[in-house]
Amino acid sequence: MPAQVESLRNGYLEVREVCKQVSEKLLKNVGMDVFKEGARRLGQFKDDKFLVQSESAAGVVMDYCLYDVRVNGRNALETYLVEHPPEDDSPKSECLRRMQRAEYGIHIVESVEPQLGVYVRDAVRGTKRLIVDLGMARTMGPGVATATRLLHYEDFSMTSGAPLFLPVGGRSDLLKLLVRTFEREGESLDPANIIRPILERGGAKGIAHIEARESLQRSGPATPQVVSMRIGRNDPCPCGSGRKYKQCCIG
């Protein structure tokens, strides 16, 4: 592995772990009413039930609830920052600052850096970035598009939650529609208007192989799994954190 690639990878792994811990702490302060509202906006909650397509879909809902569902004018991140403003130069404080400036976008892969991530072009802003993500490096190829929120560091960017995938190219009316939505709404964009159409087409399933982008182009709406809201204390928390309900949102 080239020295530069190894350095970027090690730096990514360090900040990724810190930001994961920060996100888990933030999620503990997010109430079930916020999760319901966020899931409803994304078409993942109806008739008092979560509609779960996959674990990745739960991660998408979780990220949306942190950033885009507001209570008394603030999202979960802003509420936490009011109560615990970052004042030092610790990795945790740095992560919180990066989260404040996170951007949601549609990114088209231009090239792959093996064992590291992908170089992408923002389909709306036109900016180019390196997303360090070991899973993307293994499963994505040029021409694949992803919709996700990015945290920007000096030498790389990383996703804040589970990415969504969509087909690109001349046949992709969905991509054109989402780009127009993004351009029309600008800074006032509610990512739900980007996320929901992709979820309806199974975009949270991910791409297991580079060739799978062709199958995504042919796939129809996903069939959601219906999950009862009667959650046991020892069941996995519906926020997607991977922890037991009694140790997470109920705590």
Side-chain angles (χ1 to χ4, degrees):
M1 184 186 299
Q4 183 180 11
V5 170
E6 184 174 9
S7 176
L8 284 170
R9 177 169 170 158
N10 290 338
Y12 159 77
L13 291 173
E14 289 177 6
V15 299
R16 190 69 176 179
E17 181 59 30
V18 171
C19 288
K20 179 181 177 182
Q21 294 172 8
V22 170
S23 294
E24 288 177 351
K25 189 167 187 176
L26 290 173
L27 283 167
K28 289 195 69 174
N29 296 318
V30 176
M32 184 57 68
D33 56 335
V34 171
F35 283 118
K36 288 181 180 180
E37 174 61 19
R40 183 192 64 77
R41 294 184 194 175
L42 300 181
Q44 299 294 296
F45 185 81
K46 186 177 181 180
D47 298 330
D48 205 32
K49 295 177 182 177
F50 282 108
L51 306 179
V52 181
Q53 295 176 332
S54 66
E55 183 178 345
S56 294
V60 170
V61 173
M62 175 178 63
D63 183 78
Y64 180 81
C65 290
L66 277 181
Y67 286 92
D68 300 299
V69 180
R70 296 180 177 274
V71 177
N72 297 325
R74 296 194 185 105
N75 63 18
L77 173 61
E78 292 164 344
T79 298
Y80 182 85
L81 288 169
V82 168
E83 299 171 355
H84 310 280
E87 298 177 350
D88 54 27
D89 295 324
S90 67
K92 173 186 171 183
S93 294
E94 182 63 19
C95 174
L96 286 166
R97 293 188 184 98
R98 302 290 175 176
M99 291 177 76
Q100 282 181 284
R101 299 191 292 271
E103 293 180 325
Y104 200 91
I106 302 170
H107 311 280
I108 300 176
V109 177
E110 295 195 330
S111 63
V112 178
E113 183 65 53
Q115 303 181 62
L116 184 64
V118 292
Y119 287 94
V120 300
R121 172 177 54 84
D122 190 303
V124 177
R125 302 178 182 94
T127 53
K128 297 184 179 183
R129 300 185 181 278
L130 167 64
I131 301 179
V132 176
D133 187 294
L134 309 185
M136 286 185 174
R138 289 192 299 267
T139 62
M140 297 181 70
V144 175
T146 177
T148 189
R149 196 184 315 269
L150 293 181
L151 276 63
H152 302 307
Y153 283 79
E154 282 75 11
D155 299 320
F156 63 87
S157 299
M158 69 179 190
T159 61
S160 66
L164 293 167
F165 300 94
L166 64 157
V168 298
R171 293 177 296 171
S172 178
D173 292 335
L174 174 60
L175 178 62
K176 296 176 184 176
L177 172 64
L178 297 182
V179 169
R180 286 198 299 269
T181 299
F182 216 115
E183 292 174 336
R184 182 179 65 251
E185 299 189 17
E187 294 301 318
S188 63
L189 172 77
D190 180 350
N193 296 330
I194 302 295
I195 297 169
R196 190 170 52 251
I198 304 175
L199 287 176
E200 290 170 353
R201 290 161 175 80
K205 295 177 181 178
I207 299 178
H209 303 285
I210 294 174
E211 302 81 62
R213 63 181 179 273
E214 283 81 19
S215 65
L216 252 182
Q217 289 174 330
R218 296 191 298 269
S219 65
T223 301
Q225 175 186 359
V226 179
V227 180
S228 172
M229 280 298 297
R230 295 183 179 86
I231 305 165
R233 291 177 58 82
N234 292 311
D235 290 341
C237 187
C239 76
S241 67
R243 305 173 67 189
K244 291 182 180 180
Y245 183 43
K246 67 181 181 182
Q247 297 171 335
C248 195
C249 292
I250 198 176

